[in-house]
Amino acid sequence: MVRGLKAGYGGKHILHGVDLDVAAGGALTIVGPNGSGKSTLLKAIVGLIPAMEGSIQLGSTMVTHSDAPARMRLGLAYVPQEANVFRNMSVYENLRLGWEFHPIRRTGLQLSSKLDEILALFPEILPHLKTSAGLLSGGQRQMVAVASAMMLEPGLLVLDEPSAGLSPRNAGLLFEIIRRIRQTGLTLLMIEQNVQLGLSVADQGLVLVMGRVRHVAPAAELAADDTLAEIFLGLDRESVQAQALDLNT
Ligand SMILES: Nc1ncnc2c1ncn2[C@@H]1O[C@H](COP(=O)(O)OP(=O)(O)OP(=O)(O)O)[C@@H](O)[C@H]1O
Ligand SMILES: [Mg+2]
């Protein structure tokens, strides 16, 4: 879906020719050190920064030069790393906004039934519908961000570090939900700094280092490869094992 992608800021390349594929209905998790260009890669895929070279394809449509709204109309929903909810709006209003932006709402589909469906996936936010999103805990807010994206019924859900800033417990809860979301059949493309957690919900893992793809492998294989984690992620064996332990508790 992405071929030879070069992108960056102010004419400077951050990505130096990236190839990336996500199978329809599959899930790919991107990992890599801070500053390696992971968020830049997602921004280029969703259309927030232009491709300087290379191509981007969503399904059968070439979108290299389409703007972000056009990509959204093709079924892409994106949850950025930061500022991913409207803090002054209630949880309900955030979800409602997702609904308002639904690109191709099925005829007859009612807001109330879509809300019921989404709240069944995210039961933790149900008691907080009237609360301002800014007053929620980090974990609850992250759930609202993902739930609002799900209101769009995306074919491709793009998540930038969903577990950032969350306690291991909240990250675990969120990833339980992501696992449930995957069963709806959508395609998932995600960055995750918690390598073990991120790879646990994916079929494929991709390691990005200094704007280049270093490694692509089945997620389970990559998760078991602690040498990779040491070299590419600057993590020592102990912290990799600690992450794995978090996952098991
Ligand atoms: N808006 C911007 N303008 C200029 N340079 C930027 C901008 N955003 C990011 N960069 C630079 O691009 C490089 C890659 O940043 P990016 O945010 O893609 O990394 P990342 O892999 O997502 O890192 P992290 O794990 O910390 O989120 C960094 O050197 C960063 O300073
Ligand atoms: Mg980032």
Side-chain angles (χ1 to χ4, degrees):
M1 119 191 206
V2 173
R3 287 289 168 271
L5 179 66
K6 297 188 180 176
Y9 309 92
K12 183 173 169 267
H13 288 173
I14 299 291
L15 304 173
H16 306 282
V18 169
D19 295 338
L20 172 156
D21 289 290
V22 200
L28 172 75
T29 294
I30 301 169
V31 299
N34 293 126
S36 61
K38 304 182 298 296
S39 294
T40 303
L41 175 55
L42 291 196
K43 283 188 244 172
I45 291 173
V46 305
L48 293 176
I49 59 167
M52 293 165 172
E53 270 182 50
S55 66
I56 302 167
Q57 188 174 344
L58 292 181
S60 56
T61 313
M62 271 298 173
V63 297
T64 315
H65 304 294
S66 313
D67 60 15
R71 296 184 201 194
M72 193 175 138
R73 286 194 292 275
L74 289 170
L76 184 157
Y78 165 61
V79 180
Q81 191 168 350
E82 285 165 351
N84 52 23
V85 296
F86 292 92
R87 287 176 170 254
N88 294 328
M89 291 166 69
S90 70
V91 170
Y92 171 78
E93 287 165 336
N94 270 275
L95 295 173
R96 175 80 199 252
L97 206 62
W99 171 257
E100 295 298 338
F101 279 95
H102 195 308
I104 25 169
R105 231 182 277 157
R106 283 173 281 144
T107 348
L109 180 65
Q110 299 293 319
L111 169 62
S112 57
S113 59
K114 190 69 214 171
L115 259 181
D116 287 347
E117 199 183 300
I118 294 301
L119 290 170
L121 279 170
F122 297 84
E124 289 82 0
I125 60 178
L126 185 59
H128 308 288
L129 280 181
K130 292 183 179 157
T131 310
S132 289
L135 298 178
L136 298 175
S137 74
Q140 291 165 337
R141 206 161 46 238
Q142 209 56 358
M143 286 181 195
V144 173
V146 179
S148 302
M150 288 300 291
M151 290 295 286
L152 300 163
E153 303 192 305
L156 172 64
L157 180 64
V158 180
L159 305 176
D160 192 343
E161 300 214 7
S163 87
L166 302 191
S167 66
R169 188 188 125 76
N170 280 336
L173 273 176
L174 181 64
F175 270 75
E176 266 316 308
I177 293 172
I178 291 174
R179 211 164 276 133
R180 260 180 262 156
I181 287 175
R182 276 212 61 194
Q183 289 162 7
T184 64
L186 53 59
T187 308
L188 181 66
L189 173 61
M190 169 171 72
I191 296 173
E192 184 47 57
Q193 30 106 37
N194 187 324
V195 178
Q196 292 298 328
L197 201 52
L199 293 174
S200 74
V201 297
D203 337 291
Q204 292 284 312
L206 181 152
V207 185
L208 189 76
V209 180
M210 293 175 74
R212 290 189 166 84
V213 176
R214 267 301 171 84
H215 201 58
V216 184
E221 198 178 291
L222 201 59
D225 192 341
D226 54 356
T227 334
L228 254 184
E230 285 167 31
I231 296 170
F232 296 134
L233 307 173
L235 297 173
D236 56 34
R237 205 172 287 263
E238 260 170 41
S239 68
V240 171
Q241 281 166 354
Q243 283 192 356
L245 279 178
D246 280 346
L247 201 63
N248 296 332
T249 49

